[in-house]
Amino acid sequence: MLGKLEVPARLSGKLFAEGRFIAGEGGRLPVYNPARGEVIGDIAIATPGEIAATVAAAVAAWRPWARQPARMRAEALHTLGRLILDDAAGMAELMTLEQGKPFNEALGEIRKLAEACHFYAEEAVRVHGEVIPNDQPGFQSLVLREAIGVVAAITPWNYPAELVGWKLCAAVAAGCPVIIKPSEFTPFTALHIAEKTLQAGIPPGVVSVLTGDGASVGQALVDHPDIPKIAFTGSSRTGLRIQQSCPSIKRLSLELGGNCPLLVTRHADLPQAVQGAVRRSFRNMGQICIAINRIYVERTVYADFLAQFAAATRQLVIGDGLLHPAADLGAMAQAAPLQNTRQHLQDALDKGARLIAGGAAPQGEAFAKGLFFQPSIVADCTAQMLVMREETFGPLVGVAPFDHLGEAIALANDTPYGLAAYAYTQDLQEIHRCAAELDVGNVAINHVDAGIMNAPYGGRKQSGIGVEHGREGLLEYFQFKHVRLRHGVGA
Ligand code: NAD
């Protein structure tokens, strides 16, 4: 394993552009370890000149990279996946240092990043077009898929490796150069990935990382005329801002916020439902776009569910993710969602909710300087409470009873979001009803792992447009071309 501050020290103040690390000339932003409140390094805010040079290098790299046989792009991604796996422990340690999640969980994320490299490598060689019959003899229509051009990948801090990786791998596989603007809170993981792309022999200009804040660096990429696609993951507010501020027509994929419901009917396997509720409400301290925010439980099993859910939640172990690699929960990654959690909790209590687990920061010296909070449950919630309406993005979940499945589905859908929904029931009709009527991009029934690498993942309504993962995720990086050919044969 690497010395804990070796990588941030080496990558501090660096941009990755034109195939090498350069010292950024702009201002600096500090990066913190959220478990201890200590500065671990700083990042450069890319200047307009650095952004312009990086985009120009990406534009120059585009056609040569897109014209490479797909097999070569696939080989580069396989190599990248192997390099990442070889250094998985070091990369996970760095992620824990800047993000706060327990080391073992970070390790799992790094392994999934490597999986994404191999998945997109395999998909890269399976992109083909179509031949479409024409009404007139002697004509033929070819439908080709061409790489869209330079992509700006703008990412948040909750999954610093995977959310970069999904975009990077799909873009590279398709033949698109990608300029990554990682979250200013977790920039080192992205720079570390860039270092691996260099070792993997991916040509200069194909992958770049420009660090800095969203308002200047992120927005400059959105504004840039030579960037035809923005692949964004982040809040609905920023997603809307990007959509509204695009100065020219661009392809957008926007993976945005959620306010995800879980439905538990009297036909559920209750212990399984409790296990799922604990995992998806609190994993990564609730800082997951597909986290369960609100739970609707059929009244006949409501009290039983609450008792088991509260008991299982109290068993969760919180700790500094480097000192306690196997802890269930680490520190929160930044102060804003912690503040949101406190606000949503207070709002629920003020409006009559009942606190049945957590409710405060854990006590003790080990937690004094970090962004920690106990996983918290409020019961008897109403639709007016913030926890049932807005994305908390923290370790808080609201629970409410329902009497009929139709009522629960209506409550689940009564939100501007449409990312994921979960249901536990062993009844076949209820299963099909939930699958058909929940108005979201991802439905998980009798488990809570909504996304897999080879199926499309995306949101509806204010949760976004476009998808990542799967064949469909790769196709987001292509544009169609219809070539209508008059060859005259058979005319
Ligand atoms: P955010 O929207 O504040 O920031 C995301 C990224 O956008 C950062 O890199 C930021 O610097 C950049 N940015 C900010 N303003 C910008 C602008 N004007 N132009 C261009 N870029 C700009 O989100 P966050 O707080 O980092 O992440 C949390 C949010 O991300 C939550 O709402 C969560 O639900 C969402 N999220 C969604 C998914 C998904 O797949 N749907 C996955 C993870 C996180």
Side-chain angles (χ1 to χ4, degrees):
M1 240 189 241
L2 294 162
K4 290 187 182 35
L5 288 172
E6 190 263 330
V7 179
R10 185 157 47 79
L11 299 179
S12 266
K14 298 279 174 40
L15 307 171
F16 184 71
E18 301 174 57
R20 63 200 166 91
F21 285 98
I22 55 169
E25 289 177 355
R28 293 284 192 268
L29 290 173
V31 182
Y32 292 88
N33 171 352
R36 300 180 199 169
E38 292 164 357
V39 174
I40 57 167
D42 58 36
I43 50 165
I45 303 172
T47 64
E50 290 162 340
I51 294 169
T54 305
V55 175
V59 170
W62 171 35
R63 290 189 194 281
W65 183 244
R67 284 180 188 142
Q68 292 281 347
R71 169 66 56 203
M72 290 203 49
R73 296 196 298 272
E75 281 309 320
L77 282 171
H78 278 307
T79 307
L80 180 62
R82 285 191 291 271
L83 288 167
I84 286 168
L85 216 49
D86 287 349
D87 189 21
M91 293 184 77
E93 191 182 48
L94 177 68
M95 192 196 302
T96 297
L97 193 64
E98 67 177 1
Q99 203 275 349
K101 65 181 69 177
F103 172 83
N104 287 357
E105 202 177 318
L107 192 60
E109 186 180 336
I110 295 294
R111 289 186 177 136
K112 284 171 98 177
L113 169 66
E115 196 189 310
C117 294
H118 295 303
F119 173 77
Y120 281 110
E122 288 161 8
E123 284 299 311
V125 295
R126 294 185 196 131
V127 175
H128 12 77
E130 275 185 284
V131 180
I132 298 184
N134 272 223
D135 289 345
Q136 292 154 282
F139 284 81
Q140 193 175 44
S141 277
L142 310 176
V143 179
L144 312 179
R145 287 181 172 144
E146 295 183 340
I148 196 163
V150 179
V151 175
I154 303 175
T155 56
W157 44 263
N158 59 336
Y159 284 85
E162 280 191 279
L163 296 175
V164 165
W166 299 345
K167 297 166 185 61
L168 183 156
C169 294
V172 167
C176 298
V178 58
I179 300 173
I180 299 155
K181 206 306 275 173
S183 169
E184 51 274 45
F185 299 100
T186 56
F188 290 121
T189 297
L191 287 164
H192 210 184
I193 294 169
E195 194 168 41
K196 305 293 175 200
T197 67
L198 188 61
Q199 293 160 5
I202 294 178
V206 173
V207 176
S208 314
V209 178
L210 292 177
T211 54
D213 60 301
S216 64
V217 182
Q219 191 66 49
L221 294 173
V222 171
D223 292 345
H224 203 291
D226 292 336
I227 298 183
K229 175 173 165 87
I230 310 293
F232 172 79
T233 301
S235 62
S236 295
R237 190 162 41 88
T238 308
L240 181 60
R241 194 191 148 73
I242 288 175
Q243 189 181 54
Q244 289 175 333
S245 67
C246 271
S248 55
I249 305 298
K250 288 179 193 264
R251 184 90 74 85
L252 299 178
S253 50
L254 304 172
E255 302 290 341
L256 309 177
N259 174 255
C260 305
L262 161 65
L263 278 51
V264 181
T265 82
R266 70 195 153 92
H267 300 294
D269 176 324
L270 218 51
Q272 254 190 27
V274 166
Q275 202 183 6
V278 172
R279 175 177 165 82
R280 192 50 70 226
S281 301
F282 301 123
R283 193 169 168 77
N284 201 14
M285 284 300 241
Q287 302 166 124
I288 311 185
C289 51
I290 54 166
I292 293 169
N293 277 231
R294 50 204 173 104
I295 304 179
Y296 304 102
V297 186
E298 195 157 351
R299 200 176 297 277
T300 48
V301 293
Y302 184 65
D304 214 4
F305 175 84
L306 285 181
Q308 291 185 39
F309 185 31
T313 298
R314 287 193 211 102
Q315 300 295 316
L316 294 174
V317 176
I318 314 180
D320 179 324
L322 285 175
L323 298 177
H324 304 282
D328 295 300
L329 306 172
M332 295 184 73
Q334 56 142 320
L338 175 55
Q339 214 175 328
N340 221 27
T341 303
R342 289 184 189 280
Q343 191 204 345
H344 284 194
L345 174 62
Q346 194 54 52
D347 169 82
L349 296 177
D350 289 348
K351 290 176 180 158
R354 186 160 50 96
L355 183 69
I356 62 164
Q363 295 301 303
E365 187 59 26
F367 303 110
K369 292 188 182 149
L371 302 174
F372 292 97
F373 203 76
Q374 289 175 349
S376 305
I377 307 171
V378 277
D380 307 345
C381 290
T382 63
Q384 285 67 43
M385 296 174 186
L386 292 175
V387 66
M388 305 302 269
R389 305 205 64 77
E390 291 182 10
E391 181 181 52
T392 306
F393 224 58
L396 173 67
V397 65
V399 194
F402 72 84
D403 292 303
H404 307 288
L405 185 57
E407 174 197 350
I409 291 173
L411 286 165
N413 288 340
D414 184 21
T415 162
Y417 296 106
L419 190 54
Y422 307 88
Y424 278 85
T425 170
Q426 302 287 331
D427 180 275
L428 194 59
Q429 277 210 342
E430 287 185 348
I431 288 174
H432 280 287
R433 202 167 162 203
C434 289
E437 294 182 20
L438 287 166
D439 190 12
V440 294
N442 310 275
V443 180
I445 295 175
N446 293 325
H447 70 100
V448 290
D449 293 303
I452 56 169
M453 200 62 238
N454 51 355
Y457 165 75
R460 295 181 178 180
K461 302 195 276 185
Q462 299 310 299
S463 292
I465 48 170
V467 291
E468 296 195 289
H469 290 191
R471 158 170 296 268
E472 295 82 354
L474 180 56
L475 295 182
E476 296 269 346
Y477 293 80
F478 287 95
Q479 53 195 341
F480 291 121
K481 181 182 276 174
H482 174 202
V483 179
R484 189 155 185 253
L485 179 67
R486 183 178 187 171
H487 49 63
V489 177

